[in-house]
């Protein structure tokens, strides 16, 4: 019956399979397998199967193992496929294990047609609704080249995260990033090449955000990341890593090397008192603009402006290799303090003459001046 949704029934008992088939055959096209391993092979090969009704205790591969294999599959249709377990004498602990592995629902052996059909119907309706939602999300993609979402979609994701935050008391953080001097870059390269630069950056950023984060466009040369469940300090740490990565990068466009920087604005709930997801996005965007107006290549988090954040020796060396001495100059004292033990060891072991005493005296005076 090709017009009916196809369901796979898995049980090592021929009588149980026959009973289940009898209950649902008027509404579904049914395939049968007698063990978990055969069921797995059928599920991989038959893309028309929409749901699974499976026993727990089976030879070769039991119901737990079959369920776990589906949920860990690389195939999205198997990850999300409705999976109903036929329960017999299992304990509540065993049912809890099945729920943890991703069981969609349970029916008891001996359940009637009405109950089985109702549970299957509800699960398939939910699956269809999810598929429509996924299709709608794909239609909200702004730029096929970058694969990023629109601001409207970001607001929807932020609104869902804020609702979850209100119920469970967890943080929601959001960052808006923008290329410093993007309009000048666009004038210099042309809009098409400037957009390509932005897309390359977006792809780099997409590889660094978590699966549960949402990355999208905010405007020309501007991007946003919604991070549910992320505390503001962790979001700030990630933002700083992104800022540093862009600062030391060298992007080649038409044979020319570009030096780019970004400014980043952060906002979070409940730290920031905002009334909506749109207001949270706007606040982060305003702080990004503040960072740009303060000179760019920095982060504005709503309290502390990290104009002279400490940098590591490795980052300083990367900047110098990129012929960018300017960002290193404010940190020379701190870098010298980090290097001094190494310089002292070199002076002692390599039999070279280094002005260790003078350097120590200089650092001591600088430290006194700052008190």
């Amino acid at each position: 019956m090709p017009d009916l949704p196809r369901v796979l029934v898995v049980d090592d008992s021929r009588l149980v399979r026959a009973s289940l088939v009898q209950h649902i055959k008027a509404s579904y096209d049914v395939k049968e397998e007698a063990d978990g391993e055969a069921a797995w092979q059928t599920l991989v090969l038959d893309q028309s199967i929409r749901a699974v009704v499976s026993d727990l205790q089976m030879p070769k591969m039991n119901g737990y193992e079959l369920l776990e294999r589906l949920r860990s599959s690389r195939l999205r249709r198997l990850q999300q496929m409705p999976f109903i377990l036929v329960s017999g004498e299992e304990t509540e602990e065993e049912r809890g294990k099945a729920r943890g592995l991703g069981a969609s629902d349970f029916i008891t052996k001996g359940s009637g047609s009405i109950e089985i059909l109702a549970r299957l119907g509800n699960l398939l309706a939910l699956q269809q609704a999810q598929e429509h939602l996924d299709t709608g999300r794909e239609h909200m993609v702004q730029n096929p080249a970058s694969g990023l979402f629109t601001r409207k979609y970001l607001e929807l994701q932020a609104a869902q995260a804020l609702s979850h935050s209100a119920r469970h008391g967890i943080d929601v953080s959001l960052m808006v990033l923008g290329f410093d001097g993007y309009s000048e870059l666009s004038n210099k390269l042309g809009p098409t090449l400037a957009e390509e630069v932005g897309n390359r950056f977006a792809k780099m950023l997409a590889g660094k955000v978590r699966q549960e984060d949402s990355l999208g466009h905010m405007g020309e040369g501007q991007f946003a990341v919604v991070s549910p469940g992320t505390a503001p300090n962790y979001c700030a740490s990630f933002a700083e890593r992104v800022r540093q990565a862009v600062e030391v990068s060298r992007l080649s466009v038409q044979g020319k090397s570009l030096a780019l920087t970004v400014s980043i604005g952060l906002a979070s709930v409940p730290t920031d008192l905002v009334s909506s997801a749109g207001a949270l996005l706007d606040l982060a965007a305003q702080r990004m603009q503040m960072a740009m107006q303060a000179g760019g290549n920095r982060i504005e988090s709503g309290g502390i402006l990290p104009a002279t954040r400490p940098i590591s020796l490795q980052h300083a060396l990367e900047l110098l290799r990129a012929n960018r001495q300017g960002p290193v100059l404010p940190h020379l004292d701190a870098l010298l303090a980090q290097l001094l033990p190494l310089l002292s060891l070199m002076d002692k072991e390599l039999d070279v003459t280094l002005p260790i005493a003078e350097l120590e005296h200089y650092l001591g005076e600088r430290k006194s001046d700052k008190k």
Side-chain angles (χ1 to χ4, degrees), residues 60 102 119 138 182 208 264 274 285 363:
K60 297 185 181 179
R119 292 177 186 272
E138 291 175 1
Y182 185 79
K208 296 182 179 296
I264 305 175
V274 294
L363 289 174

Side-chain angles (χ1 to χ4, degrees), residues 310-329:
I311 63 174
S312 66
L313 283 170
Q314 181 180 353
H315 184 46
L317 292 173
E318 289 174 345
L319 286 167
L320 293 177
R321 281 195 291 269
N323 198 28
R324 301 187 64 185
Q325 298 181 2
V328 180
L329 293 176

Side-chain angles (χ1 to χ4, degrees), residues 5-8 31 39-51 75-78 81 127 131:
R6 178 166 288 181
V7 173
L8 177 64
K31 291 193 72 170
W40 169 249
Q41 297 298 329
T42 296
L43 285 165
V44 171
L45 295 173
D46 190 343
Q47 299 184 21
S48 67
I49 295 174
R50 300 293 307 278
L75 298 176
R76 188 175 180 183
R77 65 180 177 86
L78 297 184
M81 183 172 290
Q127 183 189 46
E131 289 172 354

Side-chain angles (χ1 to χ4, degrees), residues 188-202:
K188 178 181 178 181
L189 300 178
T192 302
L193 277 179
E195 183 180 10
E196 180 187 333
V197 170
N199 289 340
R200 288 164 67 178
F201 166 76

Side-chain angles (χ1 to χ4, degrees), residues 9-13 17 32-36 38-39 58-59:
V9 171
V10 192
D11 199 299
D12 58 335
S13 168
R17 293 201 310 272
E32 301 177 45
E33 294 294 352
D35 62 75
M58 298 182 295

Side-chain angles (χ1 to χ4, degrees), residues 78-199:
L78 297 184
Q79 293 174 9
Q80 299 178 348
M81 183 172 290
F83 195 106
I84 298 178
L85 279 170
V86 181
S87 176
E89 302 298 326
E90 288 75 30
T91 66
E92 190 59 35
E93 181 180 352
E94 288 171 323
R95 281 194 169 210
K97 176 183 176 181
R99 290 191 191 95
L101 290 172
S104 306
D105 207 344
F106 299 86
I107 57 173
T108 58
K109 290 184 177 179
S111 296
S113 300
I114 294 176
E115 180 180 358
I116 298 173
L117 289 172
R119 292 177 186 272
L120 267 174
N122 289 337
L123 288 172
L124 288 173
L126 285 172
Q127 183 189 46
Q128 187 175 31
Q130 182 63 48
E131 289 172 354
H132 286 318
L133 177 60
D134 291 342
T135 301
R137 286 174 176 172
E138 291 175 1
H139 290 160
M140 296 175 78
V141 171
Q142 182 184 40
N143 188 336
S146 66
L148 299 188
F149 294 112
T150 63
R151 176 189 166 116
K152 182 178 180 181
Y153 178 74
L154 288 174
E155 282 195 34
L156 174 62
Q157 293 298 96
Q160 292 176 347
L162 290 181
S163 176
H164 188 71
S165 171
R167 293 195 306 271
H168 300 283
I170 61 175
D171 295 296
V172 177
S173 294
L174 193 150
M175 53 192 287
V176 174
L177 313 87
F179 284 108
D180 297 315
Y182 185 79
S183 59
E184 290 83 355
L185 181 69
S186 184
N187 290 334
K188 178 181 178 181
L189 300 178
T192 302
L193 277 179
E195 183 180 10
E196 180 187 333
V197 170
N199 289 340

Side-chain angles (χ1 to χ4, degrees), residues 221-271:
Q222 297 179 6
F223 308 88
V225 179
V226 179
S227 297
T230 300
N233 56 330
Y234 287 105
C235 188
S237 297
F238 175 66
E240 178 61 16
R241 291 197 299 272
V242 172
R243 186 198 67 78
Q244 291 182 8
V246 176
E247 183 182 29
V248 300
S249 66
R250 274 294 178 270
L251 197 63
S252 179
V253 178
Q254 292 184 332
K256 297 181 180 179
S257 181
L258 294 179
L260 301 173
T261 60
V262 292
S263 291
I264 305 175
L266 307 180
S268 62
V269 169
T271 303

